[in-house]
Amino acid sequence: MQNELITDAVLVSNYIRGNEQALETLIIRHKQKIYGFIYSKVYDRDVAEDVFQDTFIKVINTLKTGNYNEEGKFVPWVMRIAHNLVIDYFRKNNRMPKFDNSGEFSIFSVLSDSSLNAEKQIIKDQVESDVRRLIDELPEDQKEVILMRMYNDMSFKEISDKTGVSINTALGRMRYALINMRKIIEKHNIVLVN
């Protein structure tokens, strides 16, 4: 009961100062959520267990080397590590995860989810912020098309009429915008987690 009263931030701080029990408390507290997230991506208990263990090895190494910046976001940070390790697993095995990708840039499905609890809302806000920063890095013509399409829900015909370019040009700009966003994501090792 007493462990529930101690915040994650205090437990992290205690662990960094040498209290091994604090890390065990954090793992027990969040195992179901983190393991469940990993399993939902890999659908294999053995792989999920391996990725879960690798996640906490990275957590331990980061905490031990003093590279963790406490911002009250322990769980989202661990989830990003887990997500990166899941992606690494798929890359090593030349498999891609089963994400529903209906041709559009799938991150926008995260932005439209309305049934969010407080933690998911924080993560959604961070993802939305990351996506807006990605869009800001695009050339002006690509940024214009992606904003009209994704945020104003305009058809490519409407975009064509508004911008004075052909539909094919608007489609091309959208395609290049998505390609450039993916390049920026890979270059900066950005993780967009839902």
Side-chain angles (χ1 to χ4, degrees):
M1 180 65 193
Q2 187 177 355
N3 285 344
E4 288 301 316
L5 303 175
I6 302 172
T7 66
D8 289 350
V10 170
L11 288 168
V12 167
S13 179
N14 290 347
Y15 175 71
I16 290 170
R17 285 196 291 254
N19 180 347
E20 297 293 324
Q21 181 67 39
L23 181 69
E24 185 179 334
T25 302
L26 282 167
I27 293 172
I28 291 167
R29 181 180 290 176
H30 300 297
K31 177 173 184 170
Q32 186 174 0
K33 179 178 188 136
I34 295 163
Y35 179 86
F37 167 78
I38 295 166
Y39 184 80
S40 75
K41 303 295 181 206
V42 299
Y43 298 107
D44 181 307
R45 290 191 186 285
D46 293 333
V47 172
E49 193 62 42
D50 289 346
V51 171
F52 180 82
Q53 289 175 4
D54 290 345
T55 298
F56 273 92
I57 288 169
K58 278 200 173 236
V59 166
I60 290 167
N61 289 339
T62 303
L63 294 176
K64 291 274 189 194
T65 57
N67 291 327
Y68 176 68
N69 298 327
E70 176 53 52
E71 297 170 6
K73 297 178 181 176
F74 178 76
V75 173
W77 173 66
V78 175
M79 296 291 262
R80 282 180 179 233
I81 292 172
H83 184 268
N84 283 340
L85 290 172
V86 166
I87 298 298
D88 289 349
Y89 162 76
F90 284 117
R91 280 188 185 141
K92 283 180 194 154
N93 293 285
N94 289 326
R95 290 177 47 210
M96 282 315 294
K98 296 174 185 114
F99 295 117
D100 178 27
N101 214 358
S102 57
E104 294 293 339
F105 191 53
S106 61
I107 188 60
F108 292 101
S109 63
V110 175
L111 302 180
S112 62
D113 186 358
S114 61
S115 59
L116 301 173
N117 64 25
E119 186 172 359
K120 282 186 178 175
Q121 184 64 48
I122 291 169
I123 293 169
K124 177 187 173 278
D125 291 346
Q126 181 61 51
V127 168
E128 199 168 273
S129 169
D130 290 346
V131 169
R132 289 301 280 216
R133 280 202 310 273
L134 288 172
I135 292 170
D136 286 342
E137 290 193 38
L138 294 173
E140 213 47 54
D141 57 346
Q142 294 172 19
K143 185 191 315 185
E144 180 181 42
V145 171
I146 208 160
L147 290 174
M148 287 180 189
R149 179 80 176 131
M150 304 317 299
Y151 291 95
N152 298 338
D153 202 28
M154 293 171 70
S155 70
F156 284 105
K157 169 86 173 96
E158 292 169 320
I159 293 170
S160 168
D161 292 343
K162 179 133 178 140
T163 60
V165 299
S166 71
I167 292 176
N168 283 340
T169 300
L171 285 166
R173 288 177 180 174
M174 181 70 171
R175 180 174 173 269
Y176 284 117
L178 297 176
I179 289 169
N180 285 332
M181 288 174 74
R182 287 186 185 109
K183 284 180 184 172
I184 296 166
I185 287 168
E186 287 174 16
K187 178 182 175 189
H188 297 294
N189 208 12
I190 297 169
V191 178
L192 302 172
V193 180
N194 61 352

